[in-house]
């Protein structure tokens, strides 16, 4: 992929060590996710894809999650994309697995991020000052991830 080579050498350290997204206007991938979520307030179509946005981000940052939660998140994501599992049903399932005594996040010391060369990352969705068609970009992003699961 040419994404890294397009970026000045000094900037390479600014690529997310896990999802590989470059910084955009000094914003790291987490801040870019926040930028997309902020658009939801003015974009009902994007708001309707909220699960895809958050799940796509999480699936590109798997090292923080326990194996069990990650497996469940993958399964629900696939069912949603392939079979249209309704949002309410997904919330119920994910709420059940993340509730109670189940551990969702690994301790920092147990996390070992491995960079993966994705075809799309949050930086392809978060285009500063271009919220139009963001919902479409989220759907494409989710589909790219689905292909690799
Ligand atoms: Zn990242």
């Amino acid at each position: 992929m040419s994404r890294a080579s397009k970026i000045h050498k000094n900037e390479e350290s600014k690529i997310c060590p896990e999802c590989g997204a470059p910084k955009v206007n000094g914003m790291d991938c987490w801040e870019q996710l926040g930028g997309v979520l902020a658009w939801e307030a003015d974009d009902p179509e994007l708001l309707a894809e909220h699960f895809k946005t958050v799940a796509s981000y999480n699936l590109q940052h798997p090292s923080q999650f326990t194996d069990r939660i990650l497996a469940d998140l993958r399964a629900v994501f696939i069912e949603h994309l392939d079979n249209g599992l309704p949002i309410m049903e997904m919330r119920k399932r994910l709420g059940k697995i993340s509730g109670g005594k189940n551990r969702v996040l690994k301790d920092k010391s147990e996390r070992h991020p491995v960079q993966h060369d994705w075809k799309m990352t949050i930086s392809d969705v978060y285009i500063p000052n271009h919220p139009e068609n963001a919902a479409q970009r989220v759907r494409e992003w989710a589909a790219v991830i689905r292909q690799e699961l």
Side-chain angles (χ1 to χ4, degrees):
M1 300 294 279
S2 59
R3 194 193 308 134
S5 60
K6 272 188 275 183
I7 295 165
H8 188 272
K9 210 166 192 306
N10 287 343
E11 301 279 311
E12 275 184 44
S13 60
K14 293 175 181 168
I15 291 174
C16 173
E18 193 156 20
C19 75
K23 284 201 170 181
V24 172
N25 287 356
M27 296 164 76
D28 65 18
C29 65
W30 173 250
E31 292 167 320
Q32 293 169 46
L33 174 67
V36 171
L37 298 181
W39 289 341
E40 291 178 351
D42 300 312
D43 186 345
E45 191 189 347
L46 182 62
L47 182 62
E49 305 292 6
H50 178 81
F51 173 84
K52 281 196 191 80
T53 307
V54 173
S56 295
Y57 184 86
N58 284 337
L59 288 169
Q60 289 191 333
H61 297 85
S63 72
Q64 63 188 312
F65 297 106
T66 57
D67 294 344
R68 179 172 172 203
I69 292 295
L70 195 58
D72 286 336
L73 179 60
R74 280 201 185 110
V76 170
F77 183 78
I78 288 171
E79 266 206 70
H80 177 57
L81 281 154
D82 292 7
N83 304 320
L85 183 69
I87 303 275
M88 286 304 293
E89 186 58 31
M90 292 191 299
R91 285 221 179 99
K92 223 188 285 172
R93 282 200 212 175
L94 289 173
K96 212 179 281 170
I97 46 187
S98 63
K101 295 188 191 102
N102 293 324
R103 211 155 58 101
V104 175
L105 297 178
K106 284 183 180 170
D107 291 329
K108 285 234 164 73
S109 62
E110 299 172 1
R111 299 177 191 178
H112 305 290
V114 176
Q115 197 173 68
H116 184 100
D117 197 7
W118 296 97
K119 284 193 207 93
M120 280 183 83
T121 66
I122 186 67
S123 66
D124 296 296
V125 178
Y126 183 69
I127 303 172
N129 304 316
H130 288 281
E132 53 283 337
N133 302 321
Q136 180 58 34
R137 295 198 292 276
V138 165
R139 287 191 287 268
E140 287 169 16
W141 183 32
V144 159
I145 294 167
R146 170 65 188 95
Q147 280 170 11
E148 299 203 27
L149 292 181

